[in-house]
Amino acid sequence: MIIAAAVLVVLFLGVSAVKAVQSVFFDPANTVEAYFSALADRDAAEVMNTLVPGDAGEVSLLTSEVLGSSGYEPPTDIKVLESTMPEGGAAPSEDPYDDTPAEMATVRVEYRLSGELAEKVFYLRQDEATSAGIFQRWRIMNGVENLAVSAPGIDTVVVAGTTLTPDPEQGWIALGAYPGTYRIGLAEHPLWSADQVVTRVGGQPAPEGGGEVMAVLQPALKESARSVVDERIRAYLDGCAKSTTTSPTGCPFSSYSWQEVRKVDWTIDEYPQYTLMEEGGSLRVRTEEPGKATVTGTEVSSWSSQTSPYRDDVTFYLSGTVSAAGGQISFVPQ
């Protein structure tokens, strides 16, 4: 009986020790704290080690290059508000992260993003594998946030020092991101500039919770680009004026005569006044005041071969688009 009692005591102490170690070193709250600690250290590999393995999307900001960038600021002032352990059994049916039964814990955390208070509930589940054949570690199921960057018509954007390409048709790009503050701007562009956007990701101001964050860049035409566009349009119109026909191909002005006109000479008397209209990130040229041109030449009668001076005053309108393909500004007439 003494031996049996001693065995029971040893078993009790052993189980208690295992539970103590499990609660201290393998507690869900510890995993969440390790997650934020790795973000503070800007160590992407350690952050990933706290997560349930899964797909973060085709494009993500889950790299050490992003976390190590001056354009990223990790959360600060981390405070665990509540930690709930499962009582056994399957995860609740409203669990949005896994359709299969699993032991699930929740950890509610408060932290700051660039000084703004935020709050998030983390969902965790235990690994199937164990440590030392006994202990099961917890992994975070919802540690990756969703960040969308909108920049219609823009070739590239820069998020925390990383250059990315939005979908050319949709004008935006969806990204997987860790909690933190991201600086978002445009890559160097010959036409456009935009003020940098500072976006907080990973929890809205408490107590509203998380959700997808949309960062919107507002491109504006550079002053330097307007003068280049003027040059391109002038060059286009001057090229048309060099034509020796009354109807220059691909040009906005033309003249018509029933007779043959020789020695055609075009002169632009007034260049059109135009405005540049932004349409989904592209530029369209719209005439505000029409241009004026004069064409002169020698008209030859088709039945008598007699000649006479020819002159026609033409009003014309300008339309087309401006692009910056290959980094070079060009005018495409329409």
Side-chain angles (χ1 to χ4, degrees), residues 40-106:
D41 292 339
R42 301 173 184 267
D43 190 334
E46 281 301 313
V47 180
M48 192 68 69
N49 194 40
T50 65
L51 305 180
V52 171
D55 186 9
E58 294 182 5
V59 183
S60 70
L61 303 173
L62 315 182
T63 66
S64 293
E65 289 75 18
V66 171
L67 298 187
S69 167
S70 60
Y72 171 76
E73 181 182 336
T76 59
D77 301 335
I78 316 303
K79 182 180 180 181
V80 175
L81 301 178
E82 183 181 11
S83 180
T84 303
M85 293 282 285
E87 296 179 357
S93 59
E94 65 267 22
D95 174 15
Y97 302 99
D98 193 354
D99 293 331
T100 60
E103 292 287 312
M104 188 176 71
T106 61

Side-chain angles (χ1 to χ4, degrees), residues 4-273:
V7 170
L8 288 175
V9 169
V10 170
L11 288 175
F12 174 78
L13 293 175
V15 171
S16 299
V18 168
K19 289 184 176 181
V21 172
Q22 176 76 38
S23 64
V24 173
F25 297 103
F26 295 88
D27 182 80
N30 290 337
T31 298
V32 173
E33 290 173 347
Y35 168 84
F36 280 103
S37 177
L39 287 176
D41 292 339
R42 301 173 184 267
D43 190 334
E46 281 301 313
V47 180
M48 192 68 69
N49 194 40
T50 65
L51 305 180
V52 171
D55 186 9
E58 294 182 5
V59 183
S60 70
L61 303 173
L62 315 182
T63 66
S64 293
E65 289 75 18
V66 171
L67 298 187
S69 167
S70 60
Y72 171 76
E73 181 182 336
T76 59
D77 301 335
I78 316 303
K79 182 180 180 181
V80 175
L81 301 178
E82 183 181 11
S83 180
T84 303
M85 293 282 285
E87 296 179 357
S93 59
E94 65 267 22
D95 174 15
Y97 302 99
D98 193 354
D99 293 331
T100 60
E103 292 287 312
M104 188 176 71
T106 61
V107 178
R108 186 162 63 93
V109 182
E110 182 183 270
Y111 50 91
R112 291 188 180 274
L113 299 173
S114 297
E116 291 289 332
L117 191 64
E119 185 178 304
K120 180 179 175 66
V121 175
F122 287 88
Y123 296 89
L124 301 91
R125 71 181 182 192
Q126 287 182 309
D127 273 347
E128 293 183 1
T130 60
S131 297
I134 302 174
F135 307 109
Q136 288 181 295
R137 61 175 299 171
W138 293 91
R139 291 185 186 269
I140 300 170
M141 303 165 66
N142 60 332
V144 177
E145 308 288 343
N146 296 314
L147 169 63
V149 179
S150 174
I154 299 303
D155 300 321
T156 53
V157 296
V158 178
V159 183
T162 298
T163 301
L164 302 166
T165 303
D167 187 307
E169 295 183 359
Q170 296 180 340
W172 63 284
I173 183 171
L175 302 165
Y178 290 129
T181 304
Y182 294 81
R183 297 186 181 275
I184 303 169
L186 294 185
E188 181 60 33
H189 197 280
L191 284 177
W192 305 106
S193 63
D195 292 336
Q196 192 177 70
V197 174
V198 178
T199 303
R200 298 179 180 89
V201 176
Q204 300 300 322
E208 297 176 3
E212 183 180 81
V213 176
M214 173 70 78
V216 180
L217 295 174
Q218 301 288 355
L221 183 66
K222 289 182 175 179
E223 287 294 329
S224 59
R226 175 65 194 232
S227 61
V228 176
V229 173
D230 287 339
E231 292 176 4
R232 299 291 186 268
I233 290 177
R234 286 287 184 109
Y236 159 69
L237 293 175
D238 290 343
C240 287
K242 294 178 181 179
S243 175
T244 56
T245 66
T246 55
S247 297
T249 302
C251 294
F253 46 73
S254 63
S255 178
Y256 180 77
S257 172
W258 290 97
Q259 310 297 329
E260 179 186 1
V261 180
R262 299 174 182 174
K263 298 180 180 179
V264 173
D265 183 46
W266 282 95
T267 301
I268 297 177
D269 304 310
E270 294 181 17
Y271 288 93
Q273 301 298 311

